[in-house]
Amino acid sequence: MWQNPTAMKILDDSVQLISATCPACGLLCDDLLVGNSTPISVKNGCPKSQIFFRQAVSNTSPSMFGVDCDLNAAVKAAGKILLHSSQPLFSGLGTEVQGMRSVMALAETAGATLDHMHSESTVRNTLAMQNSGWQTTTLTEVKNRADLIVAIGTDIVTSHPRFFEKLVWNADNLFNKATPEVIFLAATGNTSAGTSPDGHAPTIVTAETVDLPAIMSALNALAHNKKLDAHEIAGVSVTALIAVLAKIKAAKYAVIVWSVGCLKIPHAELTVQSITQLIATLNENTRVSGLPLNSGDGDSSINNTSAWLSGYPTRNRFNVHQRGGEFSYDTYHFSTQQQLNNCDALLWISTFNAYAPPSSVAPTIVIGHPDMQFTQAPDVFIPVGIPGLDQSGTMFRMDSSVALPLKAMRKQVLPTLSDVLRQIETLLA
Ligand code: SF4
């Protein structure tokens, strides 16, 4: 394992622990200590982080149509595909800030359309924010101030395992806040993490995801002091909803958490808007903030990088004939699903997870996780290092307020995404 003497802690003669930031979810915990001996030990990490740091490199060879080749040949083939393309789609985009900078540079040269693999979810939040604004908070504020957590449509810990440990049950807060209460307004999930260290169980209001639009509308009506001519809304008693509202109003700093990736319902953006409207209404008399959970695979980093370089998050397009000037943005037409019908080349990138590309009739270049498996071998596959494990990088936490460095934790045997993209770009220049 690669060793940085300045970041190393020696516990005994045999085990050296290196401090690390974990990129396996949007919390980006930076208190991990990762061992240098096999089996690799991960201190402070959750099971998800242990899987991340313990993964082995299974494949180091680029390939063309499933046949191994050297890196130069693969880069040349990828360059040729993009050179002959007039409407390439760069999708997946599972990477961190430095990788995304290289993606943007190549996209500008190639005139590509960009879409992140989780945009279908992210766009729901963006649409709600663009339409009416929102009041959201940061993880630091949750840690130091929140005295009530209301989780809507999510158990939180399935996607962000240490949320309660680090931000809710933490004793190291700045303002001596009371032990927070927790309410789950959600279908069944892992709600046990909402039980406080002193045994106080969370309030659970069971609500199916498909019913959340109606339930959120009812909560908004009640927040405006309307009387509902019903005893229950989609199976949830109005009395329970009134009790939830009363707890939010009584809290000093309530935080409403949702995961748009869990809202697999038509027009989920309207439900997000309903949540943000409730937050705005309640803020007239008390303090309530929203906290949207991210979907992962670098989505926050990718969209921030895209926004500062082009003015838009992904689902944007570089116009190759107006280099340095024109970008377009279209949350519907520039989706991967739509562009797969029109593009004449697909570049799929997934470095954190071995997510394979969608099926496409267009020539396909895949750059990403070495374990990626294909039902149909792409024209070109180039395995690259995993950020935070094989290579260094920078990543935004899910609240976008903090960017953290990722370290290379082991000897590098694969090129970085940026290395490969720069080589391809040289062929297009
Ligand atoms: S909670 Fe998330 S960031 Fe923290 S250790 Fe687990 S997977 Fe990594």
Side-chain angles (χ1 to χ4, degrees):
M1 178 167 295
W2 177 85
Q3 296 176 347
N4 176 353
T6 59
M8 198 185 302
K9 191 171 175 179
I10 300 175
L11 281 195
D12 57 42
D13 289 346
S14 58
V15 181
Q16 294 169 332
L17 296 176
I18 300 164
S19 69
T21 299
C22 172
C25 88
L27 292 183
L28 235 55
C29 300
D30 60 353
D31 59 347
L32 275 70
L33 292 168
V34 179
N36 67 339
S37 58
T38 307
I40 291 170
S41 59
V42 182
K43 276 196 78 175
N44 302 333
C46 66
K48 199 170 178 174
S49 70
Q50 306 218 358
I51 291 169
F52 177 82
F53 284 106
R54 287 178 175 166
Q55 61 188 313
V57 178
S58 59
N59 173 25
T60 56
S61 178
S63 57
M64 289 193 282
F65 299 104
V67 179
D68 286 359
C69 63
D70 66 28
L71 181 59
N72 277 345
V75 165
K76 270 187 195 159
K80 200 167 165 188
I81 289 171
L82 293 180
L83 211 50
H84 289 100
S85 164
S86 58
Q87 204 166 323
L89 168 65
F90 292 3
S91 185
L93 307 185
T95 181
E96 45 67 66
V97 171
Q98 317 305 342
M100 187 57 183
R101 280 182 171 280
S102 304
V103 169
M104 298 287 283
L106 181 62
E108 185 174 9
T109 306
T113 303
L114 298 164
D115 188 24
H116 189 267
M117 65 176 86
H118 298 311
S119 287
E120 204 56 40
S121 299
T122 313
V123 156
R124 310 284 172 216
N125 278 341
T126 308
L127 288 173
M129 182 176 62
Q130 286 173 338
N131 185 277
S132 45
W134 65 10
Q135 291 149 299
T136 55
T137 189
T138 65
L139 301 188
T140 311
E141 283 282 276
V142 175
K143 177 179 174 179
N144 288 313
R145 296 184 189 275
D147 59 351
L148 174 66
I149 304 290
V150 184
I152 296 182
T154 174
D155 66 12
I156 303 178
V157 289
T158 298
S159 57
H160 296 72
R162 294 178 71 199
F163 180 89
F164 287 97
E165 173 203 330
K166 292 203 72 180
L167 306 175
V168 183
W169 309 136
N170 58 302
D172 57 335
N173 62 79
L174 291 177
F175 306 111
N176 202 22
K177 70 173 182 183
T179 303
E181 268 201 68
V182 177
I183 300 173
F184 290 104
L185 178 58
T188 50
N190 182 7
T191 52
S192 59
T195 299
S196 69
D198 60 7
H200 190 77
T203 301
I204 300 172
V205 180
T206 305
E208 296 301 324
T209 304
V210 71
D211 295 325
L212 286 176
I215 292 167
M216 289 313 304
S217 294
L219 277 171
N220 269 294
L222 291 170
H224 282 102
N225 300 316
K226 306 285 184 200
K227 283 209 170 123
L228 297 181
D229 190 14
H231 294 296
E232 61 173 46
I233 306 292
V236 177
S237 76
V238 172
T239 310
L241 295 180
I242 291 171
V244 167
L245 218 45
K247 285 198 173 184
I248 298 175
K249 286 179 178 173
K252 285 192 178 145
Y253 195 121
V255 174
I256 299 183
V257 185
W258 72 94
S259 168
V260 74
C262 295
L263 298 180
K264 304 228 179 286
I265 48 177
H267 299 293
E269 65 275 11
L270 298 179
T271 302
V272 173
Q273 193 168 33
S274 215
I275 295 170
T276 58
Q277 278 172 348
L278 179 68
I279 291 168
T281 303
L282 294 171
N283 262 310
E284 288 171 14
N285 295 302
T286 183
R287 191 165 187 191
V288 187
S289 282
L291 184 70
L293 301 177
N294 72 327
S295 299
D297 290 282
D299 53 357
S300 305
S301 304
I302 269 43
N303 285 312
N304 284 334
T305 309
S306 177
W308 85 59
L309 290 174
S310 76
Y312 301 106
T314 59
R315 294 206 171 169
N316 50 348
R317 172 179 286 173
F318 284 80
N319 189 328
V320 75
H321 302 299
Q322 293 164 312
R323 188 181 166 106
E326 290 296 314
F327 308 97
S328 341
Y329 174 65
D330 190 318
T331 55
Y332 176 73
H333 290 102
F334 292 170
S335 71
T336 296
Q337 198 181 10
Q338 292 297 317
Q339 285 300 307
L340 283 174
N341 300 323
N342 307 314
C343 70
D344 54 7
L346 168 65
L347 168 58
W348 175 262
I349 294 168
S350 180
T351 61
F352 290 111
N353 290 294
Y355 294 146
S359 170
S360 171
V361 293
T364 301
I365 306 158
V366 177
I367 305 176
H369 196 288
D371 285 352
M372 211 175 300
Q373 302 291 321
F374 307 100
T375 45
Q376 187 184 350
D379 298 52
V380 180
F381 171 52
I382 303 177
V384 292
I386 302 163
L389 188 55
D390 296 313
Q391 62 175 78
S392 58
T394 307
M395 214 157 165
F396 276 90
R397 221 167 56 181
M398 72 175 190
D399 55 3
S400 288
S401 63
V402 173
L404 287 164
L406 303 179
K407 287 179 185 167
M409 303 298 295
R410 63 187 181 191
K411 192 168 183 294
Q412 193 170 344
V413 293
L414 290 164
T416 67
L417 172 66
S418 294
D419 289 340
V420 172
L421 294 181
R422 271 194 295 269
Q423 289 180 48
I424 296 174
E425 193 187 348
T426 309
L427 299 174
L428 303 189

